[in-house]
Structures are given as structure tokens and as C-alpha cells.
Amino acid sequence: MQSSFIAAANWLKARPETNGKLGAVGFCWGGGTVNFLATQVPELLAGVPFYGAAPNLEDVPKIKAAMLIQSAETDPNINASWPKYEEALK
């Protein structure tokens, strides 16, 4: 499934009616997908994940996009991964 999102990003970037710039916004599962795309699509310029799972930490150095990360307020499953993700981003 995730490879489909990479293919979709590349397809969108190549469309003649666009300027070729990519950004992504997602909520919950979609937020995790935004985090994943940021690690796999170097042309992604901006990402806004809302409450999504963090990506694999070893992939975080690949992120080039500006990220506006919205954490979950009281979701222990999601929040448990954020300290290490934040540290890897720094």
C-alpha cells in the first residue's frame, strides 16, 4: 500500500497542470502516511501529520521536507513514539 503513495506522489509531481511542488497532510493513519512519505519522497517540500505514527527512526535523516507535526494530546500509543522521533529530527 505504501508504495502506491510513493507512486501517486511521483505521478502528481509530473502532471503538466501542476507546478511540480509536493506537500502532504494527513490525519491519524494519514498522518503516519505523511511521516512515511517524508522519508521516502525527497521532493516532498512540506508535510503536516496530525496524530500519525512516527516513521522508522533509521529513515528520519532522509527527511528534507518542512514538517509541522501535530501530536495527539492523550493517545499513549501515538505519543510513546514522539520523543525518539523528535530527537531524530533534531
Side-chain angles (χ1 to χ4, degrees):
M1 173 83 86
Q2 293 178 328
S3 62
S4 296
F5 284 99
I6 295 169
N10 290 325
W11 180 82
L12 284 169
K13 185 178 67 136
R15 298 291 305 158
E17 63 267 50
T18 71
N19 63 8
K21 295 180 181 179
L22 292 174
V25 176
F27 296 83
C28 198
W29 180 85
T33 300
V34 170
N35 285 320
F36 169 77
L37 283 174
T39 67
Q40 302 300 310
V41 180
E43 302 85 9
L44 189 73
L45 296 179
V48 185
F50 286 82
Y51 324 124
N56 293 328
L57 293 179
E58 62 270 10
D59 291 333
V60 173
K62 298 177 189 175
I63 296 175
K64 304 297 180 218
M67 301 292 284
L68 179 60
I69 298 169
Q70 309 295 314
S71 297
E73 183 176 351
T74 59
D75 185 334
N77 294 323
I78 295 296
N79 289 343
S81 66
W82 287 104
K84 289 182 180 179
Y85 182 28
E86 181 180 13
E87 186 61 34
L89 284 168
K90 290 178 182 178

